[in-house]
Amino acid sequence: MDKIRHWLITKYQTIVSSIAFIPGFISLGFLVMAGLMFSFDLTDTGQQIKSDIPWLSIKDPSTARSILGAIAGGIISLTVFSFSMVMIVLNQAASQMSNRVLDKLIGNRFQQIVLGIYIGTIIFTFFLFSTIRETEDAFQIPSLSIFLLTVITVIDIFIFIYFLHYITQSVKYDVIIDRIKSSTFAAMKEFCCETSESTEELDFAAKSMLRASKSGVFEGFDNKEMLKFLAEKKCSILAIHPMGTYILRGQPIVKCSRALEEEDLQKALLGIVLSNQESVDRNYEYGFRQLSEIALKALSPGINDPGTAIISFRALVDLFEFRAVNYPASILSEDNLPYKIHRKELSFDALFERVICPIWDYGKEDRMIRREFKSLLNQLSLVNTSQSLNKLLDQVELKIQG
């Protein structure tokens, strides 16, 4: 049952996070609205409205079909043009910055809502096409529904105008960098919730080992599932690797304080998150690496854009300022029970060397980069006096003087 529930949760998360979920949900809403509106069109109230307001009534079926055909063709063309622009934007972002930023553009909710509205309008139109038919003494024409569809089409045109503005703004480098920074900062506030670094010593010896059931990126634990398991088995666990580490199938990933049966080991694996794709929400360090990759790509000879590298570097320093005084909770427990999850977290120095030092290695010959490094790192050193930060500051000073 645990495996079935875990499988259902995984499939649910995959469906909800899919690019097709919101458009499909909105399209279904349009289909329901079309059915309800058509039903209202045939009621006595609907007939009375058409009698009281003659210009809402369409008598000629060919006129109705012409209106619906024009709307269907126009919205289809609008949809194709709009999302051809999106594909161009994605291609430009991948080539100029990093293909890792595509998640921020593909997963944009506004784009998905616009796509859903366009597809919903097309479905609405095709539904009305099927309702125009000849009855015993006249043609059945859903005039009110066609009028509502016309209003929706006008709204679609205004949405298209705003969409053009939105898509041209979203491709700006500073906008993409700010989105990555914001999502990383939100993840950091959730993970880095301690004001002091934990110094608690581990008091158990590893008596059993959990090994990865598949290859993937280790992104931590399903805390609720894992803490429940630890309470049942009366044991604690220790992560061997920090989050963001790629683990090969069969390699040890977690140590356990109690010898567990094979069945229990398989059950414990359900609380470990191994993914083929990294996510900032589950691992804030991935957001740091994304910003670092953008800076490195901007400093490459083919791009040669130190301005974008500086914007990305500023975002990184801003995040490091928060990380310098806020520490991740390396120990998780529940209800004061002695059974705990010991996570292995990257230190400030280790994270700094991973994402800041490569930018300096690539850009240290550029005067703009040197000046920005000196200014921002001096400010950061007032908040945190780490060994890596001081070492890099010395290198910057020597490069400027030399």
Side-chain angles (χ1 to χ4, degrees):
M1 290 301 296
D2 287 334
K3 289 185 177 180
I4 294 174
R5 183 166 59 86
H6 186 266
W7 182 83
L8 290 174
I9 292 173
T10 303
K11 289 299 180 183
Y12 169 77
Q13 292 174 343
T14 302
I15 292 172
V16 170
S17 60
S18 169
I19 189 176
F21 176 72
I22 291 180
F25 191 77
I26 294 175
S27 300
L28 181 62
F30 269 80
L31 181 60
V32 172
M33 181 174 64
L36 294 175
M37 192 63 197
F38 175 72
S39 299
F40 176 75
D41 226 318
L42 301 180
T43 62
D44 294 338
T45 304
Q47 297 295 334
Q48 185 64 40
I49 291 174
K50 287 186 283 187
S51 299
D52 295 340
I53 310 175
W55 56 270
L56 286 180
S57 180
I58 301 175
K59 304 295 185 182
D60 186 6
S62 61
T63 302
R65 292 192 181 100
S66 297
I67 294 173
L68 294 175
I71 290 175
I75 298 300
I76 290 173
S77 300
L78 214 60
T79 305
V80 171
F81 180 78
S82 297
F83 288 90
S84 294
M85 284 187 59
V86 172
M87 294 301 107
I88 293 172
V89 166
L90 294 178
N91 181 62
Q92 181 180 349
S95 61
Q96 297 292 324
M97 300 181 75
S98 169
N99 59 8
R100 250 75 65 189
V101 306
L102 294 183
D103 289 342
K104 294 296 175 187
L105 298 174
I106 294 174
N108 185 276
R109 295 299 187 190
F110 177 71
Q111 295 176 13
Q112 296 176 15
I113 290 172
V114 172
L115 178 61
I117 292 173
Y118 286 167
I119 295 176
T121 304
I122 296 169
I123 291 174
F124 199 128
T125 306
F126 288 161
F127 178 85
L128 294 185
F129 255 124
S130 66
T131 62
I132 300 176
R133 61 192 64 167
E134 186 176 4
T135 58
E136 295 179 357
D137 54 350
F139 279 94
Q140 176 182 282
I141 303 174
S143 303
L144 294 179
S145 300
I146 294 174
F147 178 78
L148 176 61
L149 177 62
T150 305
V151 173
I152 293 174
T153 303
V154 173
I155 295 173
D156 286 355
I157 294 172
F158 283 101
I159 290 175
F160 171 71
I161 295 171
Y162 179 75
F163 184 77
L164 291 178
H165 166 75
Y166 179 85
I167 202 66
T168 53
Q169 295 297 312
S170 64
V171 74
K172 290 183 177 180
Y173 296 158
D174 53 343
V175 174
I176 296 175
I177 290 171
D178 186 64
R179 286 180 184 171
I180 298 173
K181 173 188 168 184
S182 298
S183 59
T184 305
F185 187 71
M188 286 178 67
K189 286 197 294 185
E190 181 178 347
F191 280 94
C192 303
C193 52
E194 302 292 331
T195 55
S196 60
E197 200 161 11
S198 175
T199 57
E200 182 176 337
E201 297 292 334
L202 302 183
D203 57 356
F204 68 83
K207 296 184 179 179
S208 58
M209 197 82 67
L210 273 69
R211 299 180 179 274
S213 58
K214 63 178 182 178
S215 298
V217 178
F218 173 55
E219 293 199 314
F221 303 95
D222 183 334
N223 296 335
K224 184 177 179 181
E225 287 287 332
M226 187 56 76
L227 288 173
K228 179 182 177 182
F229 173 82
L230 297 182
E232 290 177 356
K233 300 302 175 182
K234 295 181 172 54
C235 60
S236 297
I237 58 171
L238 167 65
I240 300 174
H241 307 281
M243 291 188 298
T245 304
Y246 189 82
I247 309 296
L248 296 177
R249 182 195 303 270
Q251 294 301 309
I253 187 171
V254 168
K255 297 178 181 179
C256 184
S257 64
R258 181 179 176 184
L260 298 176
E261 300 292 336
E262 184 63 28
E263 182 180 350
D264 294 331
L265 291 174
Q266 294 300 320
K267 186 176 180 181
L269 287 174
L270 298 177
I272 298 175
V273 181
L274 285 173
S275 174
N276 293 326
Q277 295 183 339
E278 295 182 83
S279 168
V280 175
D281 296 334
R282 292 191 293 263
N283 177 21
Y284 68 86
E285 185 260 343
Y286 181 53
F288 279 84
R289 283 192 282 117
Q290 280 186 314
L291 292 171
S292 181
E293 288 176 4
I294 291 173
L296 295 176
K297 188 69 174 285
L299 291 172
S300 64
I303 306 298
N304 193 22
D305 183 9
T308 299
I310 287 174
I311 295 173
S312 186
F313 175 65
R314 288 171 179 171
L316 281 169
V317 174
D318 198 11
L319 293 172
F320 269 111
E321 183 182 19
F322 179 83
R323 175 64 179 81
V325 294
N326 294 273
Y327 303 90
S330 58
I331 300 174
L332 301 176
S333 60
E334 190 175 41
D335 298 332
N336 298 319
L337 293 175
Y339 316 114
K340 301 175 181 178
I341 298 173
H342 296 267
R343 298 190 304 195
K344 186 172 184 179
E345 299 290 344
L346 283 176
S347 65
F348 181 93
D349 280 340
L351 187 58
F352 188 88
E353 290 181 359
R354 283 192 181 190
V355 300
I356 296 294
C357 292
I359 300 175
W360 171 249
D361 293 339
Y362 270 74
K364 59 187 175 183
E365 302 300 331
D366 189 285
R367 290 187 178 184
M368 295 172 61
I369 297 295
R370 291 201 296 262
R371 183 172 64 249
E372 200 69 24
F373 263 71
K374 180 180 179 181
S375 173
L376 293 182
L377 292 184
N378 275 323
Q379 296 179 56
L380 186 59
S381 65
L382 300 176
V383 181
N384 185 285
T385 56
S386 73
Q387 183 178 355
S388 298
L389 175 57
N390 292 331
K391 182 180 178 181
L392 185 56
L393 261 176
D394 292 340
Q395 294 181 27
V396 173
E397 291 288 351
L398 287 174
K399 193 66 179 179
I400 292 175
Q401 293 174 5

